Amino acid sequence: MARLKIAVLISGRGSNLQALIDACADPKFPAEIALVLANLPGASGLDRARAAGLATVAVDHRGFPDRESFEARMTEALEAAKVELVCLAGFMRLLTAGFVERWRDRLINIHPSLLPAYPGLDTHARALADGVRFAGCTVHFVRAEMDHGPIVVQAAVPVRPDDDAASLAARVLAEEHRCYPLALRLIAEGKVRIEDGRCRIEGAAAPGAVLINPQPR
Ligand code: GRF
């Protein structure tokens, strides 16, 4: 079976990119990385891509007069690589509605919160300030509104009484690295349908366990 050709878009260290590289290294995995694109030539995630022998391109947004021309160059690179699904992984540029529509239902993102709670930046500090008992991450299809769109996969992690933003981020990040390959696999296997703004996942069951935090002594 042909593997789904994906691009991973990054701006930084690329630990989620690494999780996708590792998943795609299995020849039985239904997707392959056709291109890693960074908007910053110095993004250290590019080194991970090169180490894995992947095609890379840096499209430096600072070299373009506006978002449209920057995105047109990105789309050119994505099309040249015959990309079928674009995966944002720590890509720190806002995308125009035009780009999002161009890749509609073929553009996904990972976000470090249980969306629709905490869109935007500093999710962990904001969650701690609110005293929530669970945090998590979300893989979702991208819509024009930032950090919104049909949810594919989420993971919830407990917040501990002694957490700071860094410890909570690390706990969530470990789950991001499991959720992104899972979401990609489900999409590449054709198991995800978008209906009325929500994802229906064929053959998927919810876990049986309920989590309560704090735990009674
Ligand atoms: C992750 O927390 C991701 O959820 C967010 O940006 C961070 C990127 O980390 N969108 P990395 O570059 O994948 O390590």
Side-chain angles (χ1 to χ4, degrees), residues 37-41 57-77 93:
L37 186 156
N39 67 305
L40 294 170
V57 62
V59 181
D60 190 336
H61 64 278
R62 294 165 298 193
F64 293 85
D66 49 35
R67 283 187 198 274
E68 285 76 12
S69 53
F70 162 63
E71 291 174 351
R73 176 71 193 93
M74 287 205 297
T75 290
E76 209 174 282
R93 300 300 297 167

Side-chain angles (χ1 to χ4, degrees), residues 109-198:
N109 179 46
I110 186 150
H111 181 75
S113 77
L114 290 169
L115 290 174
Y118 307 113
L121 297 174
D122 298 324
T123 54
H124 305 299
R126 287 156 60 208
L128 289 174
D130 285 343
V132 299
R133 295 292 186 255
F134 292 96
C137 60
T138 304
V139 181
H140 65 99
F141 283 93
V142 173
R143 295 292 182 253
E145 192 180 347
M146 188 189 59
D147 297 328
H148 277 75
I151 291 167
V152 187
V153 172
Q154 289 187 311
V157 306
V159 176
R160 295 189 183 142
D162 55 352
D163 265 331
D164 58 19
S167 63
L168 181 56
R171 191 171 314 120
V172 171
L173 191 64
E175 301 314 312
E176 294 185 38
H177 298 161
R178 302 202 302 164
C179 286
Y180 219 168
L182 170 60
L184 176 57
R185 182 163 69 75
L186 292 168
I187 292 167
E189 287 174 347
K191 293 191 171 152
V192 180
R193 266 185 307 134
I194 303 175
E195 267 174 25
D196 297 331
R198 293 185 298 171

Side-chain angles (χ1 to χ4, degrees), residues 2 15 32 35 47 49 56 61-62 86 95 97 100 103 114 122-123 133 163 165 183 191 202 206-208 210:
S15 72
E32 63 183 334
L35 185 66
D47 296 333
T56 62
H61 64 278
R62 294 165 298 193
V86 178
L95 297 168
V100 170
W103 294 95
L114 290 169
D122 298 324
T123 54
R133 295 292 186 255
D163 265 331
K191 293 191 171 152
E202 183 190 318
V210 170

